[in-house]
Amino acid sequence: MRIHAFHRLYQDRLQRSTKPFLARGSKIARCSFCHVPCEHCLCEYQPDIETAVAVMLLVSENEVFKPSNTGRLIADTVKETYVYQWHRTEPDPQMLALISDPAFFPVLVFPAQTEQDRARQLLSIPKLNDAKKPLLIFIDGSWREAKRIFRRSAYLASLPILSIEPEHLSNYLMRKASNEQYLATAEVASLVLSLCGEEKGAEALHIWFEAFKESYLLGKSRLKPVRDKPALKRWQAYQQTV
Ligand SMILES: [Zn+2]
């Protein structure tokens, strides 16, 4: 398994935290990399594909500890994924350097809500054959946190916005109950990869997300579900083709 920036952020935060973060379902013994229950660990199936885009995840305060987080699935799929803890007043200098790196075309993926947002919307989606590599920036957190981060980060204010409308996405069962508006970061990312022409990455991320969701939910269900894992089988079959 490839250790990536999301794993490193998790380990770093874990070492610094003085008390455990109690997420829902925290009584279950989970793999500390894929965060599904240990008996369903998915690490050996981690994607190993090449993509021509780069991704940056800005992670809200406690998101890194949530087992239902799907930002890490993006880091599994897109090898060039940069992951930073969000800070309003002390942004990571490396993150700022990446945003202004002329080799990249940074795009902030966020649903445009106001006139101001819409004025920042991209007129044309960055394509893979353009001179600059798309750097797709996602805010990884609950919808409430994401809005706060979007509005309160001066260093994001000048970036072009790629707005994904919620009706383009399926409902995300894991968090649907707590917030109808919240969309899984990985689902949004899959759609955005497709828009940029990165079809292989989009497809891999989508199927990998479905496999993750299945194993994650196996740990939640009180009724013992059928354990033949059709979504994981689909992912394994897909891995044979790439
Ligand atoms: Zn695992």
Side-chain angles (χ1 to χ4, degrees), residues 16-57:
R16 288 162 188 243
S17 63
T18 49
K19 56 182 182 185
F21 174 76
L22 297 174
R24 263 193 289 176
S26 57
K27 287 191 191 115
I28 299 169
R30 293 178 185 279
C31 170
S32 56
F33 295 96
C34 65
H35 294 262
V36 302
C38 290
E39 58 187 305
H40 303 298
C41 171
L42 292 169
C43 289
E44 66 177 295
Y45 307 108
Q46 187 191 48
D48 182 12
I49 62 162
E50 303 305 323
T51 58
V53 298
V55 164
M56 180 191 288
L57 298 175

Side-chain angles (χ1 to χ4, degrees), residues 1-2 6-7 29 47 51 70 73 77 105 107 109-110 120 125 138 161 188-189 196 212 220 238 240:
M1 186 196 55
R2 183 173 49 88
F6 202 102
H7 297 138
T51 58
T70 67
L73 306 178
T77 308
F105 180 177
V107 175
V109 180
F110 197 80
R120 284 166 63 191
I125 308 288
F138 298 90
I161 293 176
V188 178
C196 294
F212 166 77
K220 286 194 94 160
Y238 177 76
Q240 301 299 316

Side-chain angles (χ1 to χ4, degrees), residues 1 6 11 16 24 46 61 63 69 78 89 91 98 115 120-121 126 130 140 157 167 170 174 182 184 188 191 221 226:
M1 186 196 55
F6 202 102
Q11 293 299 337
R16 288 162 188 243
R24 263 193 289 176
Q46 187 191 48
E61 180 65 19
E63 185 63 28
N69 168 273
V78 176
T89 53
L98 270 175
E115 279 306 310
R120 284 166 63 191
Q121 256 176 272
D130 290 350
D140 196 15
E167 55 267 30
S170 64
M174 282 181 222
Y182 183 78
V188 178
L191 198 68
S221 178
V226 184

